[in-house]
Amino acid sequence: MSDLYRAFSEPVRRRALRLLGRGPLCVCDLVDALRLPQPTVSRHLGALTEAGLVTMSKRGRWRHYALSPRPTALARRLLASLPHEPASAADLARLRATARPACG
């Protein structure tokens, strides 16, 4: 439970979760949308994976992340509150603007 609260306490993680709510994404897509360095995004995705909120799959050299198919009831309620964050709208706009074919 503390991993869950720790995951939601960081604004960058909430922004990443909001983007992943649109579907699975490659790390490169998240880097572009969040406008953060790849190591920073990967570190936050690692914390979300440890908390059980996202899953990771490898396709060649690319890592793709998606929301976990079985979040807890508390996680679902927290995820439902994400669309209300102002930074999320800008992230989604950048994601749409830089949309590319799936990596790997």
Side-chain angles (χ1 to χ4, degrees):
M1 175 104 51
S2 65
D3 285 343
L4 181 65
Y5 285 117
R6 196 176 359 238
F8 276 99
S9 70
E10 173 60 47
V12 171
R13 294 179 192 151
R14 292 191 304 266
R15 290 169 57 200
L17 286 168
R18 176 69 176 105
L19 292 171
L20 291 169
R22 308 280 296 173
L25 293 170
C26 177
V27 171
C28 59
D29 293 324
L30 290 163
V31 166
D32 289 345
L34 296 170
R35 292 190 174 172
L36 293 170
Q38 182 272 322
T40 300
V41 172
S42 291
R43 180 173 44 86
H44 287 296
L45 290 169
L48 292 171
T49 301
E50 285 180 30
L53 293 170
V54 301
T55 59
M56 186 272 295
S57 62
K58 290 184 182 179
R59 295 181 198 157
R61 64 180 199 174
W62 304 103
R63 292 177 186 241
H64 290 78
Y65 289 84
L67 290 180
S68 175
R70 295 185 192 138
T72 65
L74 176 58
R76 282 193 302 272
R77 287 191 4 228
L78 291 170
L79 285 169
S81 71
L82 294 180
H84 306 291
E85 293 197 29
S88 294
D91 295 338
L92 282 171
R94 282 191 296 273
L95 181 65
R96 288 184 190 119
T98 61
R100 64 180 125 218
C103 302

